[in-house]
Amino acid sequence: MHLLMRVFTSNSYIYMLHFKYTSFCVIVFVCLYANKLFAWNGDTDKFKIDNLELSLNAPGESGIAYISEESSYNYNATWECTLSFDFTPSSANYVKWYLISDQEDLTSSLNGYFLRIGYTDKNICLYRQNGQSNIKLAEGQAGRLSTPKSKIELRILRDVKGLWTVRSRLSDESNFIDEFETIDNTHERCKYHGFVCVYTSTRSKGFHFTSLYASGNEYIDILPPKPLEIVFNEILFRPFDDGSDFVELYNNSGNILQLSSVKIANRKKEVMLPSYKLYPNAYVVLCSNKDAVCAFYQCKSDTLFVETDLPSMPNDSGYLALLSEDGLVLDSLLYESSMHQALVINNKGVSLERINQNSSSWTSASYSVGYATPGYKNSQFTDFDYANSDTIEWTSSELFSPDNDGNNDVLYVYYKTKVGTYANVWVYHSSGYPIKQLCKNELLSSSGTILWDGRNESGKLCSIGIYVICIETYSEDGISAKKKIPIVLSAKK
């Protein structure tokens, strides 16, 4: 991870590149280069650098001075700085540390977040700024900065869901303490960060800043999704009595996606989703009643729910689609109760999970997780790395046990092949008679997955034993190939 710090000096600009490695400790190397590629903005004539310490160096009169630099870190971000005061901070002498700002001038109307350090309660507070309006989001312990010549280290974290965590350590403390946590995701656009010093005439040279750095994910424009950038990942279409249907979506892209540009639909009804920012690789659960979902399933503290109207989802079979505002199909799902595993005799309260966000195969959620995983990784998730596969041949696990315990419940046959390849796939008993045909003259994609849940053509679960996956591929130019893969259907004792 590369961490950048730039400090202003009247003669040159100092550019410090920190390399940070985190395991059980943090190791920081600092390299200094004199160049003029990077500059602070603002009242630079009122600040100076001395021995790698940035200090306020304003004339002996009351005033406000700011200094800012370009920064686009806005989530999964960390900010750190050590602040020193030559006095006890007060309502007339304090610092506003802007972590996120959409404007270079930190004293102007802007949208962003800042820490107020000092002031009347001599503590640390987090504010959200909306134009000229400041809203206090959280505050730390009063009196933390009540001693003369206070020195404090600050560490601020913001995760992808807008959870802010602020920690601090005074010069006489061995460990950081937790000041507060709060959630706010109002502002995303980030272009600058920096400091505002409010001071009286006798304190115009008493603010000092060292060890400043920031890291994280940079600001990404919020975009309407394209096909398969947002996908269905889990659905519950036959809930328990007093429960609620739900649909789980997954952001399968590297962009922040705006849900209000998406409609969820069946063949009769379309519902425009509410305004919501869905981050890369994040899940969101759509339902009419969050409490009715969480009454039956584990809902983690960071699970994201959006309560909204949903199109009807019949208990036996149905169709769902995600549509763009102009009707483009982003993803679709034709589901049937027969997609559940053979051992799931009663599928009431059992969700269907997609085995992989890039796969078209679905199966029952495991009983080991309570038959659903709303808002987090699916219990039946499997990840085959097609890009790093060393063969274009078919591959498969050698043993599976379709008992719905979340461990090798389904046999996945992975493939990576040439465009324009067709396939027939059968399951045979080791004695030689056919059990089920999984694929019949199907045109394959360049890579994908074929699933066998252990059932025969009649829908009954097969007995324990050895089976053979027989694969025949061919193309329009006449090239064909055959392969047999022995597998074992097992069960726990």
Side-chain angles (χ1 to χ4, degrees):
M1 183 182 297
H2 293 75
L3 307 170
L4 303 181
M5 174 182 175
R6 297 183 282 278
V7 292
F8 177 83
T9 165
S10 58
N11 298 318
S12 64
Y13 299 106
I14 307 271
Y15 171 60
M16 291 184 285
L17 175 61
H18 297 244
F19 297 94
K20 180 180 179 183
Y21 169 79
T22 304
S23 178
F24 295 103
C25 62
V26 175
I27 304 172
V28 180
F29 300 91
V30 181
C31 302
L32 304 182
Y33 300 91
N35 60 64
K36 296 185 179 181
L37 295 176
F38 301 99
W40 288 93
N41 307 293
D43 302 315
T44 54
D45 58 328
K46 295 179 181 179
F47 290 85
K48 70 173 184 177
I49 181 72
D50 186 23
N51 292 326
L52 304 184
E53 182 178 80
L54 177 69
S55 300
L56 181 67
N57 189 38
E61 56 189 28
S62 299
I64 299 174
Y66 85 93
I67 191 169
S68 67
E69 67 166 350
E70 292 184 2
S71 173
S72 56
Y73 303 128
N74 72 330
Y75 69 94
N76 283 338
T78 301
W79 297 267
E80 296 188 17
C81 185
T82 299
L83 282 76
S84 302
F85 301 92
D86 293 344
F87 49 85
T88 302
S90 66
S91 59
N93 293 280
Y94 62 93
V95 170
K96 292 164 70 175
W97 179 13
Y98 278 84
L99 308 168
I100 290 176
S101 172
D102 66 347
Q103 300 296 322
E104 174 269 321
D105 186 348
L106 303 181
T107 62
S108 68
S109 175
L110 59 85
N111 294 316
Y113 298 91
F114 66 87
L115 285 184
R116 191 187 67 187
I117 304 156
Y119 211 71
T120 304
D121 289 333
K122 298 172 175 48
N123 64 348
I124 299 163
C125 302
L126 177 66
Y127 283 81
R128 182 182 75 237
Q129 183 167 337
N130 303 331
Q132 296 283 7
S133 176
N134 297 328
I135 297 95
K136 184 189 289 185
L137 302 177
E139 62 180 321
Q141 177 184 333
R144 285 280 283 165
L145 297 167
S146 59
T147 60
K149 295 190 175 182
S150 297
K151 182 177 182 179
I152 189 166
E153 291 181 66
L154 294 172
R155 180 175 296 161
I156 302 95
L157 310 174
R158 188 196 194 198
D159 70 11
V160 69
K161 294 160 187 171
L163 174 64
W164 293 86
T165 302
V166 176
R167 300 186 176 104
S168 71
R169 178 170 64 184
L170 296 174
S171 56
D172 60 351
E173 295 175 340
S174 301
N175 301 310
F176 280 85
I177 71 162
D178 293 330
E179 292 280 355
F180 52 79
E181 286 189 344
T182 189
I183 294 179
D184 193 281
N185 229 358
T186 304
H187 297 316
E188 300 294 340
R189 186 173 181 80
C190 181
K191 297 181 69 177
Y192 298 92
H193 74 160
F195 302 98
V196 174
C197 297
V198 179
Y199 56 91
T200 59
S201 60
T202 59
R203 307 301 190 206
S204 62
K205 302 183 189 300
F207 297 73
H208 311 281
F209 310 89
T210 59
S211 303
L212 167 68
Y213 67 84
S215 68
N217 294 98
E218 296 186 345
Y219 171 79
I220 307 172
D221 286 328
I222 302 171
L223 302 171
K226 298 176 182 178
L228 299 182
E229 287 190 338
I230 186 169
V231 297
F232 292 110
N233 197 58
E234 183 177 2
I235 64 166
L236 178 67
F237 55 86
R238 191 185 178 196
F240 290 116
D241 296 338
D242 299 322
S244 173
D245 293 342
F246 74 78
V247 173
E248 179 188 86
L249 306 181
Y250 178 80
N251 184 343
N252 202 30
S253 76
N255 302 314
I256 301 174
L257 302 179
Q258 178 53 259
L259 283 189
S260 62
S261 62
V262 177
K263 294 181 284 188
I264 185 169
N266 57 18
R267 298 196 187 277
K268 296 181 179 180
K269 181 180 180 179
E270 296 180 357
V271 177
M272 183 67 74
L273 296 180
S275 179
Y276 187 84
K277 300 163 188 171
L278 188 60
Y279 286 81
N281 307 122
Y283 307 87
V284 62
V285 179
L286 309 177
C287 63
S288 59
N289 188 328
K290 172 185 175 181
D291 292 338
V293 174
C294 296
F296 295 97
Y297 308 104
Q298 179 186 7
C299 293
K300 298 184 178 181
S301 59
D302 59 349
T303 298
L304 301 177
F305 282 88
V306 172
E307 292 185 332
T308 182
D309 186 24
L310 290 174
S312 63
M313 293 188 286
N315 290 342
D316 52 352
S317 63
Y319 172 81
L320 289 174
L322 295 174
L323 307 175
S324 66
E325 291 179 292
D326 58 2
L328 178 67
V329 177
L330 306 174
D331 192 25
S332 62
L333 171 64
L334 184 62
Y335 69 85
E336 298 179 352
S337 58
S338 61
M339 295 165 68
H340 280 288
Q341 291 185 25
L343 286 181
V344 180
I345 306 301
N346 181 2
N347 61 27
K348 178 182 282 190
V350 183
S351 75
L352 279 177
E353 295 180 335
R354 199 170 195 158
I355 67 167
N356 186 294
Q357 289 83 18
N358 299 308
S359 171
S360 60
S361 298
W362 294 70
T363 190
S364 307
S366 169
Y367 77 81
S368 65
V369 296
Y371 293 110
T373 53
Y376 48 98
K377 186 176 180 179
N378 288 346
S379 63
Q380 303 287 14
F381 177 83
T382 181
D383 188 12
F384 181 74
D385 191 351
Y386 297 101
N388 294 323
S389 176
D390 58 1
T391 176
I392 62 171
E393 299 296 331
W394 298 68
T395 61
S396 172
S397 57
E398 296 179 351
L399 181 147
F400 78 114
S401 53
D403 51 13
N404 200 34
D405 66 349
N407 183 29
N408 292 329
D409 289 330
V410 179
L411 179 72
Y412 301 109
V413 182
Y414 305 103
Y415 65 87
K416 187 170 111 176
T417 187
K418 296 179 179 179
V419 176
T421 298
Y422 294 79
N424 290 302
V425 181
W426 299 268
V427 180
Y428 279 83
H429 192 272
S430 58
S431 299
Y433 57 88
I435 298 295
K436 187 173 185 177
Q437 185 165 15
L438 305 178
C439 234
K440 184 176 181 180
N441 297 325
E442 288 192 12
L443 177 62
L444 303 178
S445 56
S446 59
S447 63
T449 310
I450 297 173
L451 178 153
W452 184 42
D453 61 3
R455 286 185 281 195
N456 60 21
E457 291 287 4
S458 301
K460 294 182 179 179
L461 185 65
C462 296
S463 59
I464 296 170
I466 299 173
Y467 295 83
V468 180
I469 306 297
C470 296
I471 304 158
E472 178 186 72
T473 59
Y474 61 94
S475 59
E476 293 179 351
D477 57 12
I479 299 176
S480 62
K482 295 182 179 180
K483 186 169 185 177
K484 296 180 180 179
I485 305 174
I487 55 96
V488 176
L489 192 158
S490 68
K492 290 183 177 179
K493 295 182 179 180

